[in-house]
Amino acid sequence: RSRAMTPGSADAGRARDMVPLRVAVYGTLLPGCRNAALMAGSRSLGSGVARGVGLFAHLGARCPAAARLGAPHAARVEVFDLPDLDAARALDRLERYPEWYDRELIAVEMELEGPDVMAWIYIMPHEAASREGGAELIASGSWKQYLDSVGVAWDAPLEKIPPPPGEEGNTNLAR
């Protein structure tokens, strides 16, 4: 069953009950990145910007987290239509939804001419995404640019990426 939803509508608050079929990805699910294989079979709609969304190096170069920060922040995203509910459930498992990330319906301003599109994004509250000030805000809004700046390959396996300071023994960092 499909329902049109817009940010701020009564239905937008029911994200927990909805399974996404259109997603905006910004981190390890991006083409060329470590978890991109989970997007196999999805149809790319292209690149865009999620205005008002900031990215944090939540676990250093291991994974980012998005949070609503308002203007002037903007996250660089890729928008995909997922092929089926199984693909959506696989993303929920990766993102540990709803225990770790939540899902929120957002407007994405697409790079190419055309209307904005609505897509689900995995997001955290600001305090959690920033690790209460301990995680670096990615000023560019681009996960790939961040990885380039710290010298980590986009598809580097987790065991090759050092954990953030103070998290060396934390076994919950695998994603």
Side-chain angles (χ1 to χ4, degrees), residues 126-153:
H126 176 222
E127 298 76 27
S130 69
R131 295 177 58 117
E132 298 184 10
E136 179 181 352
L137 176 66
I138 300 172
S140 69
S142 168
W143 177 242
K144 288 181 174 180
Q145 284 182 8
Y146 171 77
L147 290 178
D148 289 345
S149 75
V150 296
V152 172

Side-chain angles (χ1 to χ4, degrees), residues 9-165:
S9 74
D11 287 337
R14 297 184 192 148
R16 255 193 189 83
D17 302 326
M18 307 295 288
V19 177
L21 290 179
R22 176 169 289 165
V23 295
V25 301
Y26 53 83
T28 66
L29 291 165
L30 289 168
C33 290
R34 183 175 64 252
N35 292 314
L38 288 174
M39 302 308 291
S42 298
R43 183 175 68 92
S44 174
L45 300 180
S47 300
V49 175
R51 300 238 178 253
V53 175
L55 293 185
F56 290 90
H58 181 71
L59 295 175
R62 288 176 169 238
C63 78
R68 283 233 181 241
L69 300 180
H73 301 281
R76 308 275 315 142
V77 299
E78 297 276 336
V79 179
F80 291 89
D81 281 339
L82 299 174
D84 53 37
L85 294 177
D86 288 338
R89 288 184 195 107
L91 296 185
D92 279 352
R93 282 190 300 276
L94 174 73
E95 305 295 4
R96 298 179 189 169
Y97 167 80
E99 294 82 23
W100 206 20
Y101 285 89
D102 201 354
R103 267 191 261 117
E104 189 173 309
L105 192 64
I106 62 163
V108 176
E109 182 181 310
M110 300 303 288
E111 281 184 353
L112 301 178
E113 293 291 321
D116 291 359
V117 299
M118 299 302 293
W120 293 102
I121 191 169
Y122 289 91
I123 202 160
M124 290 182 174
H126 176 222
E127 298 76 27
S130 69
R131 295 177 58 117
E132 298 184 10
E136 179 181 352
L137 176 66
I138 300 172
S140 69
S142 168
W143 177 242
K144 288 181 174 180
Q145 284 182 8
Y146 171 77
L147 290 178
D148 289 345
S149 75
V150 296
V152 172
W154 297 350
D155 61 350
L158 277 176
E159 60 271 10
K160 300 285 185 187
I161 305 170

